[in-house]
């Protein structure tokens, strides 16, 4: 698969960024694009596969912030800064094919191309909003806010509308779901069991279906943020 074929399905804004000099990289499942503490060397634009962005706390707990897929950028970039380091891990959870733009090439392009600079600033702004709203839900509504907002975000990112609700078309174990919420698997198990009793959701073949997403929104006083912000990716 060549660069032109892979970029055919990407958004117009991402294609603009690919006008910057880049190289094609491949990462096998369970390998890292970068890890916490590595020097920042660039950004990655995903063609194929999924990348989990997260952090392991000093006590060994894993926190997952988002999952990125095709046509998305990966990388905490502090442009025009010296000795910047990644503060998160980027782990391939599927085999990944992506484009890598080095920090030097990125900075050079942003200095001389106002359109590219605007696109990049827009991406960073939306990414920051996603993070802020996630922490807002956790701080204002505790464990319920963390789980319910995660389910809403998953439905916006991977939801497929069915007759009986919204199927989250992504295999997630309860532990993986707990990692998104910063909670233990046992707590998430109890909360999911209660939602199943209330017929708010159900699970079949490892995939969740949300039958009453409005219930989740009411419980956390959902502000109906734009879909571009209320996503898990």
């Amino acid at each position: 698969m060549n660069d032109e074929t892979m970029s055919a399905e990407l958004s117009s804004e991402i294609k603009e960024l690919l006008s910057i000099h880049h190289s094609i990289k491949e990462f096998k499942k369970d390998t890292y694009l970068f890890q916490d503490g590595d020097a920042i060397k660039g950004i990655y634009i995903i063609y194929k596969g999924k990348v989990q962005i997260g952090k392991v706390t000093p006590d060994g707990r894993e926190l997952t912030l988002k999952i990125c897929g095709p046509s998305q950028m990966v990388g905490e970039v502090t442009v025009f800064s010296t000795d910047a380091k990644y503060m998160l891990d980027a782990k391939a959870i599927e085999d990944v094919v992506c484009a890598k733009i080095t920090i030097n090439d990125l900075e050079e392009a942003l200095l001389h191309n106002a359109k590219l600079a605007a696109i990049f600033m827009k991406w960073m702004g939306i990414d920051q909003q996603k993070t802020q709203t996630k922490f807002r839900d956790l701080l204002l509504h505790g464990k319920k806010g963390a789980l319910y907002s995660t389910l809403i975000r998953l439905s916006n990112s991977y939801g497929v509308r069915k007759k009986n609700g919204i199927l989250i078309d992504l295999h997630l174990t309860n532990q993986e779901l707990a990692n998104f919420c910063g909670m233990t698997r046992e707590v998430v198990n109890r909360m999911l069991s209660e939602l199943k009793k209330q017929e708010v959701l159900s699970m079949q073949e490892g995939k969740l279906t949300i039958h009453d997403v409005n219930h989740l929104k009411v419980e956390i006083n959902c502000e109906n943020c734009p879909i571009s912000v209320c996503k898990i990716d």
Side-chain angles (χ1 to χ4, degrees), residues 9-229:
E9 300 300 321
L10 301 180
S11 68
S12 59
E13 290 185 341
I14 293 294
K15 287 180 181 178
E16 288 282 352
L17 287 171
L18 285 174
S19 66
I20 304 172
H21 175 73
H22 60 274
S23 57
I24 304 301
K25 300 290 185 180
E26 296 186 17
F27 297 88
K28 293 295 184 182
K29 180 180 178 181
D30 294 329
T31 62
Y32 289 87
L33 283 68
F34 55 81
Q35 290 184 272
D36 184 7
D38 289 348
I40 292 180
K41 295 183 178 179
I43 62 170
Y44 300 84
I45 297 174
I46 302 174
Y47 289 131
K48 178 184 177 183
K50 291 186 177 68
V51 176
Q52 174 182 291
I53 308 299
K55 188 176 184 72
V56 178
T57 64
D59 61 359
R61 286 191 304 149
E62 185 176 351
L63 176 63
T64 301
L65 295 179
K66 58 184 175 180
I67 294 176
C68 299
S71 197
Q72 292 183 309
M73 283 192 289
V74 172
E76 317 154 57
V77 178
T78 305
V79 291
F80 310 112
S81 175
T82 57
D83 300 323
K85 297 184 183 297
Y86 292 110
M87 299 179 67
L88 300 169
D89 298 324
K91 181 181 179 180
I93 55 175
E94 299 175 354
D95 289 347
V96 169
V97 180
C98 59
K100 179 181 180 179
I101 302 174
T102 68
I103 191 69
N104 290 335
D105 287 333
L106 177 63
E107 290 177 349
E108 182 71 16
L110 297 182
L111 276 174
H112 296 96
N113 189 318
K115 184 176 181 180
L116 287 177
I119 289 171
F120 189 73
M121 289 172 63
K122 178 182 177 182
W123 170 71
M124 287 201 301
I126 291 175
D127 196 58
Q128 185 179 46
Q129 282 183 290
K130 289 178 182 178
T131 302
Q132 288 176 340
T133 55
K134 182 170 183 176
F135 284 117
R136 175 202 64 195
D137 293 337
L138 176 60
L139 290 172
L140 292 180
H141 303 290
K143 294 175 181 178
K144 180 182 287 188
L147 177 60
Y148 288 17
S149 65
T150 295
L151 292 171
I152 294 168
R153 286 181 170 84
L154 284 167
S155 71
N156 288 335
S157 293
Y158 297 102
V160 178
R161 191 161 292 278
K162 302 288 185 178
K163 290 182 179 179
N164 63 339
I166 302 172
L167 169 69
I168 298 176
D169 194 18
L170 182 70
H171 284 282
L172 281 174
T173 66
N174 285 6
Q175 182 60 63
E176 289 169 333
L177 190 56
N179 291 345
F180 274 111
C181 306
M183 297 189 291
T184 65
R185 178 174 55 83
E186 290 75 15
V187 171
V188 168
N189 287 347
R190 289 197 297 270
M191 296 177 73
L192 288 177
S193 295
E194 184 60 32
L195 290 172
K196 290 174 184 176
K197 289 178 183 177
Q198 298 174 19
E199 299 185 345
V200 174
L201 55 76
S202 61
M203 178 179 284
Q204 286 187 319
E205 299 179 354
K207 293 183 179 181
L208 287 167
T209 296
I210 301 177
H211 306 298
D212 188 359
V213 71
N214 191 58
H215 173 86
L216 303 178
K217 291 182 176 181
V218 169
E219 287 293 307
I220 61 171
N221 299 315
C222 177
E223 297 179 8
N224 291 310
C225 300
I227 296 296
S228 60
V229 173

